Amino acid sequence: MSTPVIQGWCPGALRPMQSGDGLVVRVRPRGGRLTPDQARGIAQLAALHGSGLIDLSNRANLQLRGVTDASHPALIDGLRGFDLIDTDATDEARRNIIVSPFWTEGDGSQEIAAALARALSAQDAPNLPGKFGFSIDLAKSSTIRTASVDIRIEWHLSGWLVRGESFVTGAMVDTPEAAATAALELARWFVDSGGVEGGRGRMVRLWQNEPRNTRHDRLPLRFREGSDAMLGNAPPPKPGTFAQGQLVGFEFGQMQAETLAQLGDLGPLRVTPWRMLLIEGLTEAPQIPGLITRADDPMLRVIACTGAPGCLQAHAATRPLARALAPKLTETLHVSGCAKGCAHPTAAPLTLTATPTGFSLIRNGTASGTPLREGLSADDLTETNILNEFP
Ligand code: SF4
């Protein structure tokens, strides 16, 4: 399998990433929420300065595609007018915060997100790697534990718990400011403990590299003598009606600008790490073309990255194949244009990874996992039952 290029950073709005179809400009909604004006504004700007295609990322952001070097400055000016741009690229890269879309008014989630964003933009904030992120989920049963983050702020019986990813204990806090302070203390400890190498690093990797018998002792006192993480863990939700509104999906997490504008007309939108949007307060599924509103829609069983020709690293087109295979599937399939696995970095029941010599089939692994079969063509896959031959 050929080795993909690891960028080690995520695109931003001020630091976009080049892709096969132009610049990718990532917009990070504050508190994971877009007002109707912001949603309509992004839609208008995406159509005016990009291709009009908008991706939802598994970091709960929006990505505007097809932007050019010439159109980028005007796009940034427009986004700034909707309060969607940070002071500079460093602030933007640090403000990597996922908020559970199931927050409720007054539960503290929005206040913690604002306090954390302020703390991360302070002059003395730690210099964190580009992919380092935070999550806020104050529900008793967390739905976002599968999201890739490094520091979590979670509900606890006696307050809120701040803990590192994969740590079993954390520090208890009771105000948004205290939560932000504790999260930054843990982030500083991560940096001081050698968590960053060559500008990259993740909390889980640092933790796994520590000897098992001593790693707990290395934690700052209040993170090791605080409380244990709660076990409540819910699977990622499907489209449908929730107390907070309607959760809707999109084929491959991608929509046209016009769709975003129509959704903005229905109410404020909450971004999610599942490439779906929650429309606040809506009690019925919206009748807008291109939305996935049913929990049993076959397209929810496939995940596929941009693939060729949109991504420069892709060895094949991914989405037409995933679309053709969706009705045949009984479990989740990830189709990846290369071994990097951007669309689904963790293991999937079935993965097809494009290589220069065809697709590799991987069972219960990531896109770079060990294949069971190699050199498969798109025709092999669509015209046979190969995918269901491996229990
Ligand atoms: S996984 Fe897909 S989107 Fe990511 S680099 Fe490879 S081909 Fe491109």
Side-chain angles (χ1 to χ4, degrees), residues 130-153:
K131 289 188 181 284
F132 196 94
F134 302 80
S135 70
I136 301 166
D137 187 353
L138 306 184
K140 284 185 186 165
S141 202
S142 175
T143 48
I144 61 170
R145 287 242 174 106
T146 52
S148 173
V149 299
D150 298 271
I151 294 178
R152 294 185 182 272
I153 301 170

Side-chain angles (χ1 to χ4, degrees), residues 49-318:
H49 301 298
S51 64
L53 278 180
I54 299 171
D55 287 332
L56 298 171
S57 83
N58 57 12
R59 296 226 169 198
N61 295 308
L62 293 94
Q63 297 188 160
L64 281 47
R65 304 197 70 93
V67 178
T68 65
D69 287 332
S71 65
H72 183 248
L75 172 63
I76 296 302
D77 279 351
L79 291 171
R80 190 173 280 119
F82 289 102
D83 192 26
L84 290 163
I85 296 296
D86 294 271
T87 315
D88 55 38
T90 305
D91 272 10
E92 175 182 65
R94 284 197 200 125
R95 193 172 57 80
N96 209 350
I97 306 168
I98 298 177
V99 182
S100 164
F102 297 125
W103 58 269
T104 54
E105 204 64 51
D107 74 353
S109 298
Q110 288 298 308
E111 292 79 4
I112 293 174
L116 186 53
R118 278 195 301 277
L120 287 166
S121 69
Q123 291 258 314
D124 63 345
N127 203 6
L128 297 167
K131 289 188 181 284
F132 196 94
F134 302 80
S135 70
I136 301 166
D137 187 353
L138 306 184
K140 284 185 186 165
S141 202
S142 175
T143 48
I144 61 170
R145 287 242 174 106
T146 52
S148 173
V149 299
D150 298 271
I151 294 178
R152 294 185 182 272
I153 301 170
E154 298 180 324
W155 175 86
H156 196 277
L157 278 175
S158 48
W160 302 323
L161 188 79
V162 181
R163 68 179 178 96
E165 179 67 336
S166 78
F167 296 2
V168 290
T169 59
M172 292 299 303
V173 294
D174 55 9
T175 67
E177 288 70 26
T181 301
L184 258 72
E185 182 185 340
L186 200 49
R188 271 193 199 94
W189 171 84
F190 165 81
V191 175
D192 294 345
S193 302
V196 190
E197 273 181 47
R200 296 184 196 159
R202 301 301 304 265
M203 188 68 89
V204 169
R205 204 170 314 140
L206 172 69
W207 195 240
Q208 285 168 345
N209 288 342
E210 288 282 328
R212 260 181 190 278
N213 53 346
T214 58
R215 63 188 183 188
H216 194 253
D217 298 340
R218 294 239 296 122
L219 277 174
L221 189 64
R222 68 173 172 146
F223 292 93
R224 95 175 99 108
E225 294 195 345
S227 298
D228 288 355
M230 304 301 290
L231 294 177
N233 213 1
K238 306 263 193 205
T241 307
F242 294 83
Q244 293 82 356
Q246 284 289 319
L247 191 63
V248 296
F250 310 83
E251 268 196 19
F252 309 118
Q254 188 172 72
M255 74 188 93
Q256 297 286 344
E258 190 188 339
T259 306
L260 183 62
Q262 288 176 293
L263 290 171
D265 286 341
L266 299 175
L269 305 176
R270 299 184 185 182
V271 288
T272 78
W274 317 295
R275 298 192 172 96
M276 295 195 258
L277 290 175
L278 187 139
I279 308 152
E280 277 183 24
L282 201 65
T283 53
E284 288 183 1
Q287 301 300 312
I288 297 174
L291 299 189
I292 297 176
T293 56
R294 285 180 31 204
D296 61 352
D297 192 307
M299 286 307 294
L300 292 172
R301 294 198 282 268
V302 284
I303 304 162
C305 68
T306 300
C311 175
L312 296 172
Q313 295 193 55
H315 297 294
T318 51

Side-chain angles (χ1 to χ4, degrees), residues 330-372:
T330 54
E331 50 195 342
T332 300
L333 168 70
H334 172 202
V335 184
S336 187
C338 77
K340 198 169 161 188
C342 299
H344 192 73
T346 53
L350 288 166
T351 300
L352 289 168
T353 303
T355 74
T357 55
F359 284 94
S360 295
L361 171 61
I362 297 139
R363 188 76 167 123
N364 295 324
T366 64
S368 60
T370 306
L372 290 174

